[in-house]
Amino acid sequence: MVDTSVRSLHQTVVDAESIQDVRRFRFAVLATLNALDLLTTAVVLRLGGAEANPVMAPHIESLWRPLAIKCSILAVVWVALSRLPLRERAIDRMVQAAIVLYGIVVVHNTLLYLSAG
């Protein structure tokens, strides 16, 4: 009986570590895509393009405001990923959706750059 309990506890710890690893990986992907979004948007703007995101458009006169906004949002996401219960999957789905969205934005910006060149 003790042996079964120990195995069960061990499996729970392994599962928890696995979920934390996945969350850290997804956060790293999201942070990387945000950096690529800043970079590709800056390139497109220099080529005469316009910011399509109505939330960010008023803040693009310098790199620092968008960078501060993105870092602040990423900090909130990190806290949520770190503090929410491991069984809470809503934050995981939201991060996955954000990864897809930023992936599309980076691909779109890259295609704009390539078509302008």
Side-chain angles (χ1 to χ4, degrees):
M1 181 149 138
V2 172
D3 190 44
T4 304
S5 296
V6 169
R7 274 189 293 224
S8 177
L9 179 59
H10 176 72
Q11 187 58 48
T12 300
V13 170
V14 168
D15 292 346
E17 289 174 349
S18 175
I19 291 169
Q20 290 171 331
D21 288 345
V22 168
R23 283 183 174 181
R24 282 190 288 270
F25 175 75
R26 288 179 180 157
F27 180 81
V29 171
L30 183 61
T32 301
L33 286 170
N34 268 270
L36 289 171
D37 176 34
L38 279 173
L39 177 68
T40 58
T41 297
V43 169
V44 168
L45 290 174
R46 289 221 169 120
L47 292 173
E51 174 61 64
N53 180 345
V55 174
M56 293 301 282
H59 307 288
I60 62 166
E61 65 273 354
S62 76
L63 176 65
W64 299 110
R65 280 172 117 180
L67 181 62
I69 291 167
K70 286 183 176 288
C71 286
S72 298
I73 292 170
L74 284 170
V76 170
V77 170
W78 176 253
V79 168
L81 286 172
S82 301
R83 304 281 176 143
L84 286 176
L86 297 177
R87 294 179 191 248
E88 176 58 55
R89 297 296 185 190
I91 187 69
D92 296 314
R93 286 189 291 278
M94 289 171 32
V95 170
Q96 286 174 307
I99 288 170
V100 170
L101 175 69
Y102 276 104
I104 291 169
V105 168
V106 169
V107 168
H108 177 260
N109 287 349
T110 303
L111 291 174
L112 285 174
Y113 169 73
L114 293 174
S115 69

